[in-house]
Amino acid sequence: MSQKLKRLRDDALTTVNSHTKEQHGGLLKKAVIIAFIVLVAVISLIVLIPPAPKEITLLTGTAGSSDHELGVSLAGYLEEDGLHFILKTTSGARQKLQMLASGAENTVAFLPVSMEKTLADSTDTSRLVSLGSVSYQPLWLFYRNELQIQSIPDLRGYAVALGNEDSVVGHVSRFLLDVNDITGQVKSNTLKNANPAVIARALQDGKIDAAFAVGQPSSGYINALLSDENITFLSFERADAYLALNKAISTHRVPEGVFDLANNIPSRDMMLLGITTNLVTLDSFYPTTVPVLLKAISKIDVQS
């Protein structure tokens, strides 16, 4: 091979090797940049997005209340899914809403739709969000059947358990007294801090004349009152008017005998009021935990 050809070959190889090194260097540089970007993204996710909580606090009402019973059932189903639930009792809906509004993280609460509107002027509720409706809770007015009570105004002069002012039952019962203009004409201080079972027993023993209550017919204290032949409950004949005045209230017709066909309870068609309970939390609640909660709630609905 001539010296000239050899020189041309060597120059060509040098050029090829130079281009190859440049390409390899460029690819390596790109790989380093991509790896750096991925690393920054991963670190950002770790820092900015906290891990899903393994433990959640559920705010309920007093022990024995309807939403406390619901919380016990919900906690049982969530434990099956590996999510630990801490039940924390409160004085009622007002305290629960205020605790959430103060910034309680990883916390949910059962709240009626009306309470947020009630406290809107005194408490910042802008960060509160509803995860959906949990259950419908009937509102009852039980009274001793020897009394002539056919409507809310007939409660004048009687000793009536209205419930704690911070509770759902206390909130709605006082609304009913207000719109009927009999606030102050009812002896409402009796047993106001007692739990539902104690109030039910006081009514059965004749220590009070009537009592408002919220809960499903299957609840122990509600079932006990429905089964007591000396106790009856009011049919809210002006239910539509109450609904028109307070959109948080719903109305429901109860067919004759639906609670106990053998004993025909109730003995006629009745009208009940009701409150829809929502599951409420902060807008920072971890999103992937929501389906777990809703799944557990659906199991409760199936069983109830």
Side-chain angles (χ1 to χ4, degrees):
M1 180 181 296
S2 66
Q3 288 298 115
K4 186 176 182 178
L5 289 175
K6 183 178 180 181
R7 190 167 51 254
L8 290 173
R9 184 198 65 181
D10 291 342
D11 290 344
L13 290 174
T14 300
T15 301
V16 171
N17 289 336
S18 176
H19 286 319
T20 302
K21 288 180 180 179
E22 289 179 2
Q23 290 176 348
H24 286 172
L27 291 174
L28 181 60
K29 185 177 181 180
K30 290 181 179 179
V32 171
I33 293 174
I34 293 173
F36 178 74
I37 293 174
V38 171
L39 179 62
V40 170
V42 171
I43 293 174
S44 298
L45 288 174
I46 293 175
V47 172
L48 298 177
I49 302 179
K54 293 295 183 182
E55 187 174 272
I56 293 177
T57 299
L58 172 64
L59 305 179
T60 75
T62 57
S65 63
S66 58
D67 68 359
H68 186 266
E69 292 180 351
L70 186 62
V72 172
S73 298
L74 181 59
Y77 288 116
L78 286 169
E79 292 286 353
E80 296 176 1
D81 294 326
L83 187 62
H84 182 52
F85 233 40
I86 298 176
L87 298 183
K88 186 172 183 178
T89 59
T90 68
S91 62
R94 185 181 296 270
Q95 184 183 7
K96 288 186 285 186
L97 192 148
Q98 290 173 332
M99 290 173 68
L100 279 178
S102 68
E105 298 290 342
N106 299 331
T107 302
V108 295
F110 295 131
L111 284 168
V113 295
S114 58
M115 288 305 293
E116 183 174 343
K117 297 177 181 178
T118 301
L119 296 183
D121 294 335
S122 59
T123 303
D124 181 10
T125 60
S126 60
R127 290 192 59 201
L128 300 186
V129 295
S130 172
L131 301 181
S133 298
V134 178
S135 66
Y136 152 76
Q137 297 289 334
L139 174 75
W140 312 79
L141 174 56
F142 289 103
Y143 61 93
R144 300 188 59 77
N145 56 18
E146 71 265 19
L147 305 178
Q148 298 300 313
I149 297 177
Q150 298 182 359
S151 64
I152 298 295
D154 293 335
L155 294 175
R156 290 186 182 93
Y158 288 123
V160 184
L162 299 179
N164 190 303
E165 289 186 26
D166 290 344
S167 67
V168 178
V169 62
H171 174 65
V172 179
S173 63
R174 285 166 175 79
F175 160 77
L176 293 174
L177 296 188
D178 286 344
V179 296
N180 281 281
D181 199 24
I182 62 169
T183 300
Q185 301 179 50
V186 172
K187 301 174 185 178
S188 59
N189 293 328
T190 307
L191 301 171
K192 68 176 182 179
N193 293 320
N195 65 47
V198 172
I199 292 175
R201 175 53 61 185
L203 180 58
Q204 290 175 307
D205 292 343
K207 296 179 180 179
I208 56 177
D209 301 310
F212 284 94
V214 171
Q216 298 294 341
S218 57
S219 296
Y221 60 97
I222 299 293
N223 184 262
L225 292 175
L226 288 174
S227 303
D228 193 322
E229 61 182 12
N230 296 313
I231 305 296
T232 189
F233 64 94
L234 181 70
S235 177
F236 295 91
E237 300 301 340
R238 297 194 293 177
D240 289 340
Y242 297 135
L243 172 62
L245 294 171
N246 189 334
K247 297 303 182 182
I249 292 176
S250 56
T251 61
H252 300 270
R253 186 183 70 85
V254 177
E256 177 183 345
V258 69
F259 299 135
D260 187 340
L261 279 172
N263 295 300
N264 199 33
I265 301 174
S267 60
R268 61 185 177 90
D269 289 358
M270 309 280 277
M271 288 296 297
L272 285 184
L273 302 180
I275 299 296
T276 299
T277 299
N278 290 342
L279 191 62
V280 179
T281 187
L282 295 177
D283 55 10
S284 58
F285 191 76
Y286 201 83
T288 59
T289 306
V290 175
V292 180
L293 286 172
L294 298 182
K295 177 183 175 183
I297 290 170
S298 68
K299 290 180 180 178
I300 295 175
D301 290 341
V302 169
Q303 296 296 328
S304 61

